[in-house]
Amino acid sequence: MPTREEILTALALVIDPELRKPVTELDMVREIRIDGAEVAVTIALTVVGCPLRSSFEDQVARHVGTLPSVASVTLHFDVMTPDERAALTMKLRGGAETTVVQLPATTRVLAIASGKGGVGKSSLTVNLAASLSLLGREVGILDADIYGHSIPHMLGIHQKPVVVDKMIIPPVAHDLKLMSIGFFVDDNAPVMWRGPMLHRALEQFLQDVHWGEIDVLVVDMPPGTGDVSISLGQLLPRAEVVVVTTPQPLAQEVASRAATMAQKTGMRVVGVIENMTSEVFGSGGGERLAAELGVRMLGHVPLDSRVRESADAGVPLVVSDPDSEPAQVIFELAQAIDGSRAGGFTRTLPLVS
C-alpha cells in the first residue's frame, strides 16, 4: 500500500507546463486518496478549461501510476479559488509589486532587429531562441513586432494566455515561453494603435507577464526605428542587439540606422547576421555593415526554403531538421551569441537624446 509521502514525492515530478514548476510547489495538489493500491489525486487548475490538462494526465500516469505499490491512479481536476489564485500570484512574484519589470536581474535580453521588413528576422528569432533552449537555457520570446506579429504561427501556438489574478501566463511551445500582441486581437485583425498605446502594451508584457526564471528573453523587434523600438530601449535598457540584414546595399543601409538608434538608447550591438545569402541577393552586405558599426560579423545564413516551410508548419527548423545546413548555421550562431554574454538585466533607464 503506497503512503501519502510516496505519492507526494512522485507528484513533485509533475510540472505545470506553463508555469514550469512542480504542482506540489505551486500548491495545486488539492487531495490524495489512497484505497489499498488504488490512488486518486485531485489537482486544482488555475482556470476552468485549462487547455493543457492532458499534460497533467500524462505526467501523473507516468510518475504516480508506475510506482511499484500503485495498481491504478485516477486524476480529478478542480479549480483554484480567487484567494488561492491571489496566493499563487504572490508566490510566483516573490512579493514584488506589479509596477516593476518582472524579469530576474540575471536575465539576458537579446533584441533581434532589422532596418526593413522581409529580411527573415522573425524566422531567425524563433530559430535562435530554440537553439539557445537546446543549449540548456531557459528562454522566453517577446514578439514586439506589434504590426507584423508572426511568432505564434511560427511556434504553432493557437491557445490564448491564461490570466491568473491579473498575472498573464505565457503559452509554451518547444520549451519556449511566448508573449505576443497576436494573442489579444481577433483573428487576423490589424493593430491600429498610436505611440502611447504601443508603449503601454509593451510595458504590460514586461510587468504583468510571469516570465519566471528565464535565462534569456529574445525580443523580435519591429523593423525600423519607430515608437516600439524607442520604447523597448527605455523599458529594456542595456539590452543587447543582433542586427539582421540581407546582402544587398539597400538592406545594409537601412539596418545601419536601426543599429545606430539601438546604440543611442543604451543597447549594445552584439554583431551582425547576414540572412538569405545566395546568388539571388548576393553577399557581402553583412561584412560591410559590421565594419561600418565596428562590431562582430556573426555569420551568414543561406537562403533555403526549409526555413520558410518549418515556420509555416509551426516548428523551428533547428528542431524539425537539425542536420540541415541552415539549422546547423543558426545553431552555431546561437553558440557564438551565447558565448558573447556581456552582462545581465538592469532597470536603470537611460536618457534618450
Side-chain angles (χ1 to χ4, degrees), residues 23-297:
V23 292
T24 50
E25 184 179 330
L26 298 172
D27 298 324
M28 297 175 72
V29 180
R30 175 65 50 84
E31 184 183 28
I32 297 174
R33 285 188 286 111
I34 301 173
D35 183 6
E38 297 179 352
V39 176
V41 175
T42 301
I43 288 180
L45 301 175
T46 52
V47 293
V48 178
C50 175
L52 299 176
R53 44 194 297 160
S54 61
S55 174
F56 291 106
E57 293 169 343
D58 294 341
Q59 292 187 71
V60 169
R62 182 165 68 251
H63 297 299
V64 179
T66 57
L67 291 173
S69 56
V70 174
S72 67
V73 59
T74 305
L75 178 60
H76 303 284
F77 291 105
D78 201 349
V79 181
M80 286 185 173
T81 66
D83 288 344
E84 287 173 330
R85 286 196 292 270
L88 175 62
T89 301
M90 186 64 68
K91 174 179 287 190
L92 291 172
R93 284 183 169 155
E97 298 179 13
T98 59
T99 55
V100 300
V101 174
Q102 301 293 321
L103 281 177
T106 55
T107 298
R108 184 184 191 187
V109 180
L110 280 175
I112 313 301
S114 68
K116 61 193 295 292
V119 300
K121 168 181 56 63
S122 296
S123 298
L124 272 178
T125 296
V126 165
N127 280 283
L128 286 171
S131 296
L132 289 168
S133 177
L134 292 171
L135 288 169
R137 307 299 185 189
E138 285 289 329
V139 183
I141 301 178
L142 173 56
D143 185 2
D145 194 350
I146 299 293
Y147 299 122
H149 48 84
S150 57
I151 304 294
H153 180 87
M154 292 182 177
L155 288 180
I157 298 178
H158 306 292
Q159 79 269 19
K160 292 184 179 296
V162 171
V163 180
V164 180
D165 194 44
K166 298 183 180 180
M167 181 180 67
I168 304 172
I169 309 299
V172 179
H174 312 294
D175 290 330
L176 303 171
K177 297 180 179 181
L178 172 66
M179 187 49 55
S180 170
I181 194 64
F183 294 136
F184 302 97
V185 295
D186 295 328
D187 298 324
N188 199 30
V191 179
M192 296 184 290
W193 291 356
R194 300 296 293 273
M197 294 179 68
L198 295 172
H199 184 89
R200 179 66 191 110
L202 294 172
E203 201 171 42
Q204 186 174 9
F205 286 166
L206 295 169
Q207 291 178 356
D208 296 345
V209 173
H210 176 67
W211 291 103
E213 298 298 320
I214 59 173
D215 301 308
V216 187
L217 179 66
V218 183
V219 184
D220 184 31
M221 298 278 278
T225 57
D227 289 334
V228 175
S229 300
I230 295 171
S231 291
L232 279 169
Q234 294 175 318
L235 293 168
L236 297 174
R238 298 285 299 279
E240 300 170 78
V241 179
V242 174
V243 183
V244 179
T245 184
T246 47
Q248 66 265 45
L250 176 60
Q252 168 205 338
E253 178 184 329
V254 180
S256 175
R257 295 184 214 135
T260 301
M261 190 219 68
Q263 291 171 329
K264 286 186 176 182
T265 55
M267 300 184 187
R268 182 180 79 93
V269 179
V270 176
V272 172
I273 294 177
E274 183 182 284
N275 197 26
M276 303 183 186
T277 302
S278 64
E279 294 181 3
V280 176
F281 294 108
S283 62
E287 281 86 357
R288 289 190 294 271
L289 178 59
E292 178 185 342
L293 298 174
V295 299
R296 181 180 176 186
M297 178 65 203

